[in-house]
Amino acid sequence: MAKLKVNQLKKSYGSLEVLKGIDLEVQEGEVVCLIGPSGSGKSTLLRCMNLLEEVNGGEVMIDHTLLTDKKVNINKVRENIGMVFQHFNLFPHLSVLDNITLSPIELKKNTKAEAKEIALKLLDRVGLADKANARPAQLSGGQKQRVAIARALAMNPDIMLFDEPTSALDPEMVGEVLAVIQQLATEGMTMVIVTHEMGFAREVANQVIFMDGGLVVEKGTPAEVFTNPTHPRTQDFLDKVL
Ligand code: ADP
Ligand code: MG
């Protein structure tokens, strides 16, 4: 059974139909890279996966839970889905440590002491053990994004969603963030990553999904999508970005 399944998902903003019936499956431990031109609906799709957006049709299923069922406690489901955004979204008035421990403490997942211990371990894992007491403003973009990843991991999620995690970074900081994501892949984390880093997608993804105009145009292994795309729109996109 798929870890995450999206069935005929539709989403509109007013009269603008942004997702026109998306089908996809993510297996446990799989890394899926979502690629496609700007405006194709990648971010909207990612936000629909944990129902940060209300959907207009279709289904999202995680394990045995149908998220689009009105009876589901979506806040409970979201605790198991980590999300990392392009612009980090750290709380500027909190220390790095407090950014990471906030949710686990507020949602009573851990005691303060436990949350702190977990946060320090996670900071060590993302190479920022010495930054626990820093404020976000004192960090580089790459460091901020690694804190954002540690913060998401602090809830011990079993799926991680990344929306262009390196797009806001100076080029020299892209590698340090991708290395952390790659490490998570090695550890078997199930991940959906919207990215323009085609080299990274080719290396890390089990499945690449190309979206255009609110539809999945093509999906397959990196070799299939990057080396032998079957759809002219995929080829056209790759010609522009590779
Ligand atoms: P991508 O991430 O692939 O660039 P998005 O999912 O951000 O694409 O956007 C897809 C389309 O939906 C775009 O035309 C965008 O302008 C529109 N859109 C996204 N969010 C909103 C919103 N909150 N309100 C209205 N239109 C939106
Ligand atoms: Mg986007």
Side-chain angles (χ1 to χ4, degrees):
M1 210 192 98
K3 181 87 192 159
L4 167 69
K5 195 166 175 182
V6 171
N7 253 337
Q8 279 304 301
L9 187 71
K10 293 194 172 74
K11 170 69 187 172
S12 298
Y13 294 107
S15 60
L16 180 68
E17 197 181 19
V18 173
L19 301 178
K20 301 175 181 170
I22 301 281
D23 293 309
L24 61 86
E25 276 191 26
V26 183
Q27 305 303 320
E28 175 135 37
E30 195 178 23
V31 179
V32 174
C33 284
L34 210 51
I35 63 170
S38 180
S40 57
K42 305 179 299 296
S43 294
T44 303
L45 174 58
L46 213 62
R47 293 168 60 81
C48 285
M49 285 178 181
N50 59 5
L51 258 58
L52 282 177
E53 296 284 351
E54 199 180 328
V55 307
N56 302 111
E59 297 172 332
V60 179
M61 186 93 172
I62 292 182
D63 294 321
H64 292 280
T65 308
L66 186 62
L67 274 60
T68 37
D69 182 341
K70 295 270 185 281
K71 294 193 286 284
V72 164
N73 180 349
I74 190 65
N75 288 322
K76 210 71 210 156
V77 174
R78 280 198 198 116
E79 289 179 12
N80 290 316
I81 309 172
M83 191 146 186
V84 174
F85 303 90
Q86 185 175 351
H87 293 289
F88 331 123
N89 299 8
L90 297 175
F91 301 109
H93 59 292
L94 296 181
S95 69
V96 162
L97 186 70
D98 290 343
N99 263 280
I100 299 174
T101 59
L102 184 71
S103 288
I105 293 171
E106 293 252 305
L107 299 169
K108 300 195 189 322
K109 187 174 175 66
N110 301 115
T111 64
K112 276 187 189 174
E114 283 167 356
K116 184 175 175 186
E117 190 186 330
I118 292 166
L120 293 174
K121 275 196 192 129
L122 287 169
L123 278 174
D124 190 40
R125 213 164 123 190
V126 299
L128 295 172
D130 55 335
K131 297 294 183 192
N133 298 313
R135 292 289 166 113
Q138 296 169 297
L139 304 178
S140 71
Q143 290 172 332
K144 282 182 208 168
Q145 195 58 301
R146 285 185 282 149
V147 172
I149 295 171
R151 179 176 62 175
L153 291 172
M155 288 298 290
N156 196 23
D158 48 20
I159 299 180
M160 288 279 286
L161 307 176
F162 294 86
D163 194 357
E164 297 196 33
T166 61
S167 293
L169 301 178
D170 291 333
E172 73 268 26
M173 292 170 189
V174 169
E176 67 197 52
V177 171
L178 293 181
V180 169
I181 300 173
Q182 184 146 26
Q183 180 60 32
L184 286 174
T186 312
E187 292 163 12
M189 178 65 81
T190 307
M191 298 191 277
V192 182
I193 307 168
V194 176
T195 185
H196 293 293
E197 297 289 335
M198 296 302 150
F200 173 76
R202 188 189 273 270
E203 204 174 318
V204 175
N206 305 102
Q207 185 184 177
V208 175
I209 298 180
F210 171 67
M211 278 179 73
D212 194 13
L215 288 166
V216 171
V217 173
E218 185 151 352
K219 58 186 159 194
T221 63
E224 285 164 348
V225 175
F226 289 125
T227 315
N228 293 304
T230 57
H231 201 289
R233 277 199 280 173
T234 316
Q235 186 64 62
D236 187 49
F237 173 74
L238 293 174
D239 286 345
K240 284 180 189 137
V241 297
L242 287 180

